[in-house]
Coordinates of all heavy atoms in Angstrom, one line a residue:
C128 N 74.4 100.6 83.7 CA 74.6 99.5 84.6 C 76.1 99.1 84.7 O 76.8 99.1 83.7 CB 73.8 98.3 84.0 SG 74.2 96.7 84.9
E129 N 76.6 99.0 85.9 CA 78.0 98.7 86.1 C 78.5 97.3 85.7 O 79.7 97.1 85.6 CB 78.4 99.0 87.5 CG 78.3 100.5 87.9 CD 78.7 100.9 89.3 OE1 79.9 100.6 89.6 OE2 77.9 101.3 90.1
I130 N 77.5 96.5 85.4 CA 77.9 95.2 84.9 C 77.8 95.1 83.3 O 78.7 94.8 82.6 CB 77.2 94.0 85.6 CG1 77.7 93.9 87.0 CG2 77.3 92.7 84.8 CD1 77.1 92.8 87.8
C131 N 76.6 95.3 82.8 CA 76.3 95.1 81.4 C 76.6 96.4 80.6 O 76.6 96.4 79.4 CB 75.0 94.6 81.1 SG 73.6 95.7 81.5
E132 N 76.7 97.6 81.3 CA 77.0 98.9 80.6 C 75.9 99.4 79.7 O 76.1 100.2 78.9 CB 78.3 98.8 79.8 CG 79.5 98.5 80.8 CD 80.8 98.4 80.1 OE1 80.8 98.1 78.9 OE2 81.8 98.7 80.7
R133 N 74.7 98.8 80.0 CA 73.5 99.4 79.2 C 72.9 100.6 79.9 O 72.9 100.6 81.2 CB 72.5 98.3 79.0 CG 72.9 97.2 78.0 CD 71.9 96.1 78.0 NE 71.6 95.6 79.3 CZ 70.6 94.9 79.6 NH1 69.7 94.6 78.7 NH2 70.4 94.5 80.8
E134 N 72.4 101.5 79.2 CA 71.7 102.6 79.8 C 70.3 102.3 80.0 O 69.4 102.4 79.1 CB 71.9 103.8 78.9 CG 71.9 105.1 79.7 CD 72.4 106.3 78.8 OE1 73.3 106.1 78.0 OE2 71.9 107.4 79.0
V135 N 70.0 101.8 81.2 CA 68.6 101.3 81.5 C 68.3 101.7 82.9 O 69.2 102.2 83.6 CB 68.5 99.7 81.4 CG1 68.7 99.3 79.9 CG2 69.6 99.1 82.2
P136 N 67.0 101.6 83.3 CA 66.7 102.0 84.7 C 67.6 101.1 85.7 O 67.8 99.9 85.5 CB 65.3 101.6 84.9 CG 64.7 101.7 83.5 CD 65.9 101.2 82.6
L137 N 68.1 101.8 86.7 CA 69.1 101.1 87.6 C 68.5 101.0 89.0 O 67.7 101.8 89.5 CB 70.4 101.9 87.6 CG 71.1 102.1 86.3 CD1 72.3 102.9 86.4 CD2 71.4 100.7 85.6
T138 N 69.0 99.9 89.6 CA 68.7 99.7 91.0 C 70.0 99.8 91.8 O 71.1 99.7 91.1 CB 68.2 98.3 91.3 OG1 69.1 97.4 90.8 CG2 66.9 98.1 90.5
Y139 N 70.0 100.0 93.1 CA 71.3 99.9 93.7 C 71.5 98.7 94.6 O 70.6 98.2 95.2 CB 71.7 101.2 94.5 CG 70.8 101.6 95.6 CD1 71.1 101.2 96.9 CD2 69.7 102.4 95.4 CE1 70.3 101.6 98.0 CE2 68.9 102.8 96.5 CZ 69.2 102.4 97.8 OH 68.4 102.8 98.8
H140 N 72.7 98.2 94.4 CA 73.0 96.9 95.0 C 74.0 97.2 96.1 O 75.0 97.8 95.9 CB 73.6 96.0 94.0 CG 74.4 94.8 94.6 ND1 73.8 93.9 95.4 CD2 75.7 94.4 94.5 CE1 74.7 93.0 95.8 NE2 75.8 93.3 95.3
H141 N 73.7 96.8 97.4 CA 74.6 97.0 98.5 C 75.7 95.9 98.3 O 75.5 94.8 98.4 CB 73.9 96.8 99.8 CG 73.2 98.0 100.3 ND1 71.9 98.2 100.0 CD2 73.7 99.0 101.0 CE1 71.5 99.4 100.6 NE2 72.6 99.9 101.2
L142 N 76.9 96.4 98.0 CA 78.0 95.5 97.7 C 78.3 94.6 98.9 O 78.7 93.4 98.8 CB 79.3 96.2 97.3 CG 79.1 96.8 95.9 CD1 80.1 98.0 95.7 CD2 79.4 95.8 94.8
I143 N 78.0 95.1 100.1 CA 78.0 94.3 101.3 C 76.6 94.3 101.8 O 76.1 95.3 102.3 CB 79.0 95.0 102.4 CG1 80.4 95.1 101.8 CG2 78.9 94.1 103.7 CD1 81.3 95.9 102.7
P144 N 75.9 93.2 101.5 CA 74.4 93.2 101.7 C 74.0 93.6 103.1 O 74.7 93.1 104.1 CB 74.0 91.8 101.3 CG 75.0 91.3 100.3 CD 76.3 92.0 100.8
R145 N 73.0 94.4 103.3 CA 72.6 94.9 104.6 C 72.3 93.7 105.6 O 72.5 93.9 106.8 CB 71.4 95.8 104.5 CG 71.8 97.2 104.1 CD 70.7 98.2 104.1 NE 69.7 97.8 103.0 CZ 68.7 98.5 102.7 NH1 68.4 99.6 103.3 NH2 67.9 98.1 101.7
Q146 N 71.7 92.6 105.1 CA 71.4 91.5 105.9 C 72.6 91.0 106.7 O 72.4 90.3 107.8 CB 70.8 90.4 105.1 CG 69.4 90.7 104.5 CD 69.6 91.3 103.1 OE1 70.6 92.0 102.8 NE2 68.5 91.2 102.3
V147 N 73.8 91.2 106.2 CA 74.9 90.7 106.9 C 75.8 91.7 107.6 O 76.9 91.5 108.0 CB 75.8 89.8 106.0 CG1 75.1 88.5 105.6 CG2 76.3 90.5 104.7
H148 N 75.3 93.0 107.6 CA 76.2 94.1 108.2 C 76.6 93.8 109.6 O 77.8 94.0 110.0 CB 75.4 95.4 108.1 CG 75.5 96.1 106.8 ND1 75.0 97.3 106.5 CD2 76.0 95.6 105.6 CE1 75.2 97.6 105.2 NE2 75.8 96.6 104.7
A149 N 75.6 93.3 110.4 CA 76.0 93.0 111.8 C 77.1 92.0 111.9 O 78.0 92.2 112.7 CB 74.7 92.6 112.6
K150 N 77.0 91.0 111.1 CA 78.0 89.9 111.2 C 79.3 90.4 110.7 O 80.4 90.1 111.2 CB 77.5 88.7 110.3 CG 78.4 87.5 110.4 CD 77.7 86.3 109.8 CE 78.6 85.0 110.1 NZ 78.0 83.8 109.5
V151 N 79.3 91.2 109.6 CA 80.5 91.8 109.0 C 81.3 92.6 110.1 O 82.5 92.4 110.2 CB 80.2 92.7 107.8 CG1 81.3 93.5 107.4 CG2 79.7 91.8 106.6
L152 N 80.5 93.4 110.9 CA 81.2 94.2 111.9 C 81.7 93.3 113.0 O 82.8 93.5 113.5 CB 80.2 95.2 112.4 CG 79.9 96.4 111.5 CD1 78.8 97.3 112.1 CD2 81.1 97.2 111.1
K153 N 80.9 92.4 113.4 CA 81.3 91.5 114.5 C 82.6 90.7 114.2 O 83.5 90.6 115.0 CB 80.2 90.5 114.8 CG 80.3 89.8 116.1 CD 79.0 89.1 116.5 CE 79.2 88.0 117.5 NZ 78.4 86.8 117.3
K154 N 82.7 90.2 112.9 CA 83.8 89.4 112.5 C 85.0 90.3 112.0 O 86.1 89.8 111.7 CB 83.4 88.5 111.4 CG 82.3 87.5 111.7 CD 82.8 86.2 112.1 CE 81.6 85.2 112.3 NZ 82.1 83.9 112.7

Side-chain angles (χ1 to χ4, degrees):
C128 169
E129 293 184 61
I130 288 184
C131 68
E132 297 178 334
R133 290 174 306 162
E134 208 166 325
V135 291
L137 302 176
T138 61
Y139 62 95
H140 164 60
H141 278 92
L142 288 157
I143 301 167
R145 276 183 297 187
Q146 293 88 335
V147 293
H148 280 186
K150 186 166 188 181
V151 166
L152 289 176
K153 196 169 159 213
K154 302 259 183 183

